[in-house]
Amino acid sequence: MSRVSFFLPLSLFALIVGFAYFGFSLGDRHELPSALIGKAFPEFEAQRLLVDAESFSNEDFAGRPALVNVWATWCPTCLSEHEQLMQIAAQTDILLVGVNYKDDVNKARRWLAEYGNPYDAVVVDMNGDLGVQLGVYGAPETFLLNARGEIVFKRVGDVNPRVWRDELRPRLVQMGAVVESFEVGEVSSQQPLPLQPLP
Amino acid sequence: MRWQSVLLLVLFGSAAGFAGANSPVDIYQFDSDAEKRRYHALIEEFRCPKCLNTNLAGSDAPIAQDLRRTVHRLVVIENLSDAEVRLYLQDRYGDFVLYDPPFSRQTWLIWLAPFGFVLLALGAMAQLLRRAGAQPQETLSATQKQRLKALLDDD
């Protein structure tokens, strides 16, 4: 028995452990990297949810940083991130745009009336075509746009206090947006809420 | 006789209803058979972003329906080529939708690993062969040959 064949099982084992460590540390396989980071927000024109006979297009982003939040009433995670969006709306000067995704218009209006409306504008994407433009595959998803209308960051899943503190807020401050320093809700250590599949 | 035929009708009707409710078949118009074939080949080719290992053709997920509708629009109304359709989806959903990911900074290891394994195997084989060749040939002395012959001739 030579030295090579003595060490072969051990090195094979080490190799397998290495692959397993790498594989399990890859994180959530359901979270796809966005192909749109660094690109301009796609051109679109959509009906508004709350203002009749008025449409909204990418030109209405009007030279300031914006958050575009894809949400729906069928998505419980959207409800759980709602409070965070309300806070962001109250304490920043950024444009907050909601995309009501594959939803019922009346349910959506009732939802905003009941829980409050954090958005400067809500556009309707009834059949998901704008969603396809944005590479959306579930809800909620949130895009951060700089003042030139380019997508700089995408969050798949809820905007929770941790995401606000670690991802969104620093980028907004860097862009020069007015962000009042406010205590975000307690940053919990629990797992982020899952992305909701479509209904 | 009449009630049996009514029962049959009800049974067939409900079966058809179940089939319609569960099958991921969309009804689309095509201008030509060539377009239809291209559409079907394309939806076979792309991976549904929501379901980790199902293609667009085989998935019931609403996002897959949306993407089938998109592919149909690109092929029939906007007359894009296959390559342009691929690029359109890749631009929005990334390499994930392609079952055949392009060679890139993230994928080079996967693409090159098989060649690496073949090289390793060839190296190992070469070493084994060389070691076998280097082993001294066993030769028998004259007396040993005689003994061998005696043994073999015994029977």
Side-chain angles (χ1 to χ4, degrees):
Chain A
M1 175 141 306
S2 75
R3 198 179 301 160
V4 174
S5 47
F6 179 76
F7 281 112
L8 195 64
L10 184 66
S11 38
L12 270 181
F13 177 72
L15 194 70
I16 291 167
V17 169
F19 271 115
Y21 182 79
F22 177 71
F24 286 119
S25 60
L26 278 179
D28 190 358
R29 292 185 304 159
H30 290 271
E31 190 175 328
L32 310 187
S34 176
L36 291 170
I37 303 294
K39 294 190 189 164
F41 198 86
E43 285 180 27
F44 76 98
E45 185 158 8
Q47 285 299 309
R48 293 182 62 166
L49 179 72
L50 301 174
V51 189
D52 282 338
E54 212 179 296
S55 67
F56 191 91
S57 78
N58 49 315
E59 283 166 21
D60 293 314
F61 286 135
R64 56 175 167 153
L67 274 184
V68 178
N69 175 246
V70 180
W71 67 283
T73 56
W74 45 259
C75 147
T77 307
C78 297
L79 183 57
S80 78
E81 73 171 359
H82 196 73
E83 186 52 41
Q84 186 67 43
L85 293 176
M86 293 295 281
Q87 280 197 38
I88 293 172
Q91 318 238 3
T92 68
D93 69 339
I94 61 169
L95 187 72
L96 198 53
V97 178
V99 175
N100 185 234
Y101 180 58
K102 293 174 79 94
D103 204 354
D104 179 288
V105 172
N106 291 319
K107 277 190 196 164
R109 289 187 184 127
R110 273 204 303 277
W111 202 84
L112 290 178
E114 184 173 345
Y115 300 112
N117 178 8
Y119 305 109
D120 296 304
V122 184
V123 300
V124 179
D125 182 24
M126 191 106 68
N127 59 10
D129 280 344
L130 178 56
V132 170
Q133 289 293 317
L134 287 168
V136 166
Y137 58 96
E141 293 192 2
T142 303
F143 298 84
L144 175 62
L145 277 61
N146 63 19
R148 291 189 300 278
E150 294 159 352
I151 297 171
V152 293
F153 175 77
K154 176 188 181 185
R155 165 69 180 163
V156 174
D158 63 332
V159 174
N160 53 36
R162 186 190 56 76
V163 171
W164 168 249
R165 186 197 63 187
D166 295 345
E167 308 282 3
L168 295 176
R169 192 171 188 282
R171 287 183 171 88
L172 284 171
V173 169
Q174 201 186 7
M175 286 176 202
V178 175
V179 181
E180 286 177 37
S181 61
F182 62 90
E183 281 301 309
V184 293
E186 203 166 295
V187 177
S188 69
S189 56
Q190 71 192 34
Q191 284 291 308
L193 289 153
L195 185 72
Q196 302 297 322
L198 302 182
Chain B
M1 195 59 210
R2 180 168 289 168
W3 69 270
Q4 282 107 328
S5 40
V6 169
L7 182 67
L8 264 182
L9 260 179
V10 168
L11 283 176
F12 276 117
S14 55
F18 279 122
N22 290 331
S23 71
V25 173
D26 320 294
I27 294 158
Y28 287 129
Q29 300 283 325
F30 294 93
D31 296 338
S32 65
D33 272 2
E35 264 182 1
K36 192 171 166 182
R37 273 195 300 277
R38 281 184 51 215
Y39 166 80
H40 283 289
L42 283 166
I43 63 170
E44 287 288 338
E45 178 181 320
F46 296 115
R47 172 153 64 164
C48 162
K50 191 67 218 166
C51 10
L52 290 177
N53 218 357
T54 318
N55 58 14
L56 289 187
S59 174
D60 244 348
I63 185 66
Q65 286 169 20
D66 289 355
L67 290 180
R68 285 197 295 268
R69 192 178 65 238
T70 303
V71 169
H72 175 263
R73 175 172 59 82
L74 296 177
V75 168
V76 174
I77 298 168
E78 305 200 3
N79 285 315
L80 297 192
S81 71
D82 288 1
E84 287 167 329
V85 173
R86 271 179 215 119
L87 192 66
Y88 184 97
L89 286 184
Q90 193 188 359
D91 277 349
R92 284 155 184 80
Y93 286 91
D95 292 348
F96 186 89
V97 290
L98 308 175
Y99 270 116
D100 187 13
F103 191 88
S104 73
R105 216 154 42 96
Q106 286 168 321
T107 58
W108 64 268
L109 187 60
I110 295 175
W111 277 115
L112 295 184
F115 300 105
F117 287 130
V118 167
L119 280 180
L120 268 180
L122 283 178
M125 201 166 83
Q127 197 164 4
L128 280 176
L129 286 176
R130 204 169 44 226
R131 206 181 295 166
Q135 253 160 27
Q137 291 283 322
E138 300 263 347
T139 46
L140 302 176
S141 65
T143 44
Q144 281 173 325
K145 275 181 186 159
Q146 265 177 0
R147 250 188 89 207
L148 180 64
K149 194 159 181 294
L151 278 171
L152 288 173
D153 287 346
D154 241 5
D155 313 317

